[in-house]
Amino acid sequence: AEADQVVRLFQDASRARVQRLRLLQAGFFVTALLLLAAGSRLVHGSILAPLRRLERSADRIRSGDLETPVEVDGPLEIDFLAQTFESMRLELANTHRELALWNQTLEEKVRERTQELDALYKVSQEIGARLDRREVLNSITNKAGQLLNAEVAFLCLIDEKQGTLGLQAI
C-alpha cells in the first residue's frame, strides 16, 4: 500500500509537471503569436507603408505630375530612395520646362523662316512676272526691307567696268 501511495504521489507530481509544461508551452505560443503580430505591424508601418507612399509618388511622376514633391518618411534606406525620387522629379521638371522653352523657340524660328520663304517666293513670282529690271530691283529691295524690319533699304550693283557700286533701288 505504501509503495502504491508513493507511486501515486510520483504520478501526481509528474502530471503536475506535465500540466505546467503545457501551460508554459501555451504561454510561449501566445507570446510568439503576439511577437509575430507586433513584428508584422512594425514591418508594415515602417517599411511597407512608406514603400506604398513611394510607389504612389512614382505613379504621380509617371503620369506627368512633376510639381508635387516626394515626401516619404521611413527607415534610412527608404528615405534615401525618397530623396533620389525627389531629385529625379526636380530634374524631370527642369528638363520639361527646358523642352517647352526650346519648343517655343523652334516655333518662333519656324514662323520667321516661313515668313522669309514666303517673301522670297513672292519676289521670285514678281521677277518671273515682270520683265522691267527697275521694277524687279525695286520689288527685291522692298521685300528685303520687310524681311529685315528695316526702316530703309538700298540695293546697289557693281559696275564691272568702273569697279564701283551703283545705287539701283531705294
Side-chain angles (χ1 to χ4, degrees), residues 5-21:
Q5 183 72 18
V6 170
V7 169
R8 281 188 202 127
L9 286 174
F10 278 121
Q11 276 183 334
D12 290 341
S14 293
R15 285 184 189 137
R17 285 183 188 153
V18 168
Q19 188 63 27
R20 274 186 267 146
L21 283 175

Side-chain angles (χ1 to χ4, degrees), residues 2-169:
E2 284 182 27
D4 283 341
Q5 183 72 18
V6 170
V7 169
R8 281 188 202 127
L9 286 174
F10 278 121
Q11 276 183 334
D12 290 341
S14 293
R15 285 184 189 137
R17 285 183 188 153
V18 168
Q19 188 63 27
R20 274 186 267 146
L21 283 175
R22 286 185 181 157
L23 284 175
L24 208 71
Q25 281 179 331
F28 280 132
F29 182 70
V30 169
T31 303
L33 287 177
L34 289 174
L35 284 174
L36 187 60
S40 173
R41 186 176 187 128
L42 180 67
V43 166
H44 183 317
S46 66
I47 295 175
L48 295 179
L51 281 175
R52 284 191 185 116
R53 289 192 300 272
L54 195 59
E55 180 184 19
R56 284 192 296 271
S57 293
D59 287 341
R60 280 196 317 268
I61 291 171
R62 184 181 65 232
S63 68
D65 177 7
L66 299 175
E67 300 305 318
T68 306
V70 176
E71 296 175 355
V72 176
D73 293 327
L76 184 62
E77 294 85 0
I78 293 177
D79 280 344
F80 178 74
L81 275 174
Q83 291 171 2
T84 303
F85 272 51
E86 178 63 11
S87 296
M88 179 184 67
R89 181 195 67 82
L90 291 172
E91 286 297 320
L92 284 171
N94 287 338
T95 302
H96 189 264
R97 281 190 286 277
E98 286 176 8
L99 285 174
L101 189 63
W102 285 354
N103 187 36
Q104 183 181 0
T105 303
L106 283 174
E107 285 178 2
E108 289 173 8
K109 288 186 178 191
V110 165
R111 192 173 21 259
E112 290 172 3
R113 189 70 172 160
T114 302
Q115 288 175 346
E116 291 171 0
L117 290 172
D118 186 47
L120 288 174
Y121 175 72
K122 288 178 182 174
V123 166
S124 69
Q125 281 184 327
E126 289 178 8
I127 290 173
R130 297 179 183 166
L131 296 177
D132 181 37
R133 181 176 179 209
R134 177 73 51 203
E135 287 182 30
V136 170
L137 295 177
N138 283 335
S139 175
I140 290 172
T141 305
N142 287 334
K143 296 297 182 202
Q146 290 172 0
L147 276 176
L148 299 172
N149 291 325
E151 293 179 22
V152 179
F154 298 92
L155 179 78
C156 298
L157 295 177
I158 296 177
D159 184 349
E160 292 180 11
K161 292 178 185 174
Q162 296 179 358
T164 59
L165 285 176
L167 181 63
Q168 300 297 315

